[in-house]
Amino acid sequence: MINPNDIKELAGRFLPDVVEVRRHMHTHPELSFQEFETSAYIQSKLTEWGIPFKNNIVKTGIVATIEGKNPQSKTIALRADIDALPIVEENDVSYKSVNTGVMHACGHDAHTSSLLGAARILNTLKNNFEGTVRMLFQPGEERIPGGAKLMIEEGVLDNPRPHSILGQHVLPQLEAGKVGFKGGMFMASADEIYVNVHGKGGHGAMPHLAIDPVLIAAHIVVALQQMVSRRSNPLVPTVLTFGKVVANGSTNIIPNEVYMEGTFRTMNEEWRAKAHEIMKTTAESLAQSMGATCEFKILKGYPFLVNDEDLTERARQAAIEFLGADNVVQLESRMTAEDFAYYTQLMPACFYRLGTGNLARNITSGIHTPTFDIDESSLETGMGLMAYLAIKELAL
Ligand code: NI
């Protein structure tokens, strides 16, 4: 069995290179499913470090393979996402995005550079462990239908099916050097809602001659919250948020129509399907009862993400061995979503969080904000722990 100190020593030695990889990616971010330069860059690093891979999976995805001794004995999968977000970066740093309007604001540069670092560690130690490590560099996490779903459809989990899969995500609220775990239900399903309420515009002083879509849209928003509080089981987490309401009339103009966008999140597939029906029926019949019409469209997003209890507990214990008990925290479940959920529906999976914040250095901005950044010392934890968890699972 490999000594954790050997992995730590390699993680420390590879850190400068991994920071350079992270900074290169941060400077050159690309949007979901357009990660062509990013993909070429990852491939160049794998080639440089002598790690075999297959490219052109969902165009920009890559699967790298490291075979230890007796490679058929067991396979463990590790996953990182590679895409960035449509955000204008506001950080004043040497590695600021040069693709204006695109930014690694969700830390996928940290996930990918950590996985590359883990790959290099595992490749260095491959004569000291048994089995195979399969590393997925996955495009399009930020965009429905999700690169995870498409990679699975292209067979990245076949021949042979890995025993389990691990993935990590940055968490700026957690200090660098720490990691967090939560077994069981961890993240929500997320669906996008698009609503058009068609009324009849007119003069604001003569509402009786118009059909006011603004008032009707307001009724719909309130009525759908009634579903959240009165129709859903209080024990099943449910969130409905409308973040966009466009009624382009004026003080004295009733517009023809109102357009709205929202998100629906929960942690139960049966309720999810039923809620879709209730929302559509409620909105359409409410509009109709008031003389308007309503188009209610739901774009189904990612399913809920469930961590395998046993695997997550083993990973938590291994993290305590590797980082010390003070650096391993218990997390709550959360209503954000992740396409890693697709992997968790198919096999034992563990999605854990990597602390990347640093209060003293004022690195505290949340993900998906223009000032998000990471304490890069977290990459040493990110690559080292991931390599260690893979080796522990293979040895089981
Ligand atoms: Ni993300």
Side-chain angles (χ1 to χ4, degrees):
M1 182 63 198
I2 288 165
N3 186 328
N5 289 326
D6 296 345
I7 294 177
K8 284 182 198 166
E9 194 270 314
L10 289 171
R13 201 198 305 169
F14 296 155
L15 181 63
D17 288 349
V18 169
V19 167
E20 192 187 302
V21 169
R22 183 261 165 171
R23 290 187 176 192
H24 179 95
M25 286 186 67
H26 197 88
T27 309
H28 305 280
E30 293 172 295
L31 292 174
S32 306
F33 301 113
Q34 299 169 34
E35 311 92 340
F36 294 99
E37 283 180 31
T38 303
S39 181
Y41 180 72
I42 295 165
Q43 292 173 49
S44 75
K45 287 291 150 190
L46 291 168
T47 303
E48 183 185 330
W49 297 335
I51 299 164
F53 61 88
K54 266 176 67 181
N55 63 0
N56 204 18
I57 297 161
V58 194
K59 288 202 178 117
T60 52
I62 302 159
V63 176
T65 305
I66 294 171
E67 296 190 335
K69 292 179 293 182
N70 194 9
Q72 265 77 43
S73 58
K74 192 174 189 180
T75 297
I76 298 292
L78 307 175
R79 173 274 204 174
D81 40 12
I82 68 172
D83 56 326
L85 285 163
I87 290 180
V88 180
E89 176 157 22
E90 289 176 11
N91 290 314
D92 185 17
V93 289
S94 61
Y95 47 88
K96 181 176 179 167
S97 168
V98 296
N99 298 342
T100 307
V102 186
M103 176 185 174
H104 269 295
C106 196
H108 298 189
D109 52 346
H111 310 159
T112 298
S113 54
S114 290
L115 183 55
L116 278 169
R120 197 175 175 192
I121 292 170
L122 291 164
N123 198 46
T124 307
L125 298 173
K126 67 184 170 193
N127 294 324
N128 302 341
F129 64 83
E130 294 206 3
T132 297
V133 185
R134 186 182 299 169
M135 284 144 296
L136 315 182
F137 294 90
Q138 179 215 298
E141 192 284 320
E142 299 284 357
R143 192 150 157 216
I144 293 175
K149 183 166 186 274
L150 303 177
M151 294 262 289
I152 291 167
E153 283 167 9
E154 288 206 16
V156 299
L157 297 182
D158 304 334
N159 304 319
R161 166 128 322 181
H163 184 263
S164 55
I165 184 164
L166 298 155
Q168 63 184 338
H169 200 290
V170 298
L171 183 59
Q173 291 81 18
L174 190 64
E175 288 281 298
K178 295 178 187 283
V179 293
F181 292 88
K182 159 86 174 69
M185 196 62 81
F186 185 37
M187 295 174 77
S189 61
D191 305 309
E192 297 177 1
I193 299 173
Y194 300 90
V195 190
N196 267 298
V197 181
H198 303 282
K200 186 175 157 226
H203 198 298
M206 291 175 281
H208 59 296
L209 299 179
I211 295 168
D212 182 357
V214 179
L215 185 61
I216 296 167
H219 274 291
I220 290 172
V221 170
V222 174
L224 295 180
Q225 290 303 327
Q226 183 267 0
M227 176 197 79
V228 176
S229 75
R230 304 288 84 173
R231 310 273 309 259
S232 86
N233 182 334
L235 301 179
V236 176
T238 301
V239 169
L240 175 65
T241 295
F242 281 96
K244 185 169 189 173
V245 179
V246 183
N248 203 12
S250 183
T251 53
N252 56 3
I253 299 170
I254 294 170
N256 277 318
E257 62 172 40
V258 172
Y259 173 70
M260 303 194 285
E261 291 181 3
T263 181
F264 176 76
R265 288 153 191 258
T266 187
M267 292 185 170
N268 176 301
E269 283 298 306
E270 247 171 80
W271 165 238
R272 183 188 186 190
K274 193 173 164 207
H276 286 185
E277 246 180 71
I278 294 174
M279 286 189 288
K280 192 171 161 63
T281 310
T282 304
E284 288 176 354
S285 56
L286 202 55
Q288 201 189 13
S289 75
M290 297 179 184
T293 59
C294 169
E295 281 164 53
F296 196 93
K297 278 189 226 146
I298 299 172
L299 186 57
K300 226 175 150 188
Y302 307 151
F304 62 75
L305 187 156
V306 59
N307 278 330
D308 183 79
E309 296 273 10
D310 294 341
L311 171 63
T312 305
E313 183 51 27
R314 287 198 303 276
R316 201 177 68 81
Q317 290 297 341
I320 289 172
E321 285 167 26
F322 194 73
L323 301 171
D326 290 350
N327 291 319
V328 180
V329 304
Q330 180 69 32
L331 297 174
E332 309 258 276
S333 53
R334 45 196 294 139
M335 296 308 284
T336 50
E338 233 303 329
D339 77 348
F340 190 84
Y342 284 110
Y343 305 116
T344 75
Q345 313 266 319
L346 293 175
M347 57 173 51
C350 174
F351 193 62
Y352 60 94
R353 308 293 295 225
L354 176 69
T356 52
N358 187 324
L359 208 55
R361 289 179 52 206
N362 205 22
I363 302 173
T364 55
S365 290
I367 57 171
H368 292 223
T369 69
T371 52
F372 172 75
D373 201 357
I374 64 164
D375 177 340
E376 290 171 325
S377 72
S378 63
L379 300 173
E380 191 172 344
T381 313
M383 69 174 128
L385 180 62
M386 198 161 232
Y388 187 59
L389 294 179
I391 284 172
K392 287 288 278 191
E393 280 303 301
L394 284 175
L396 211 65

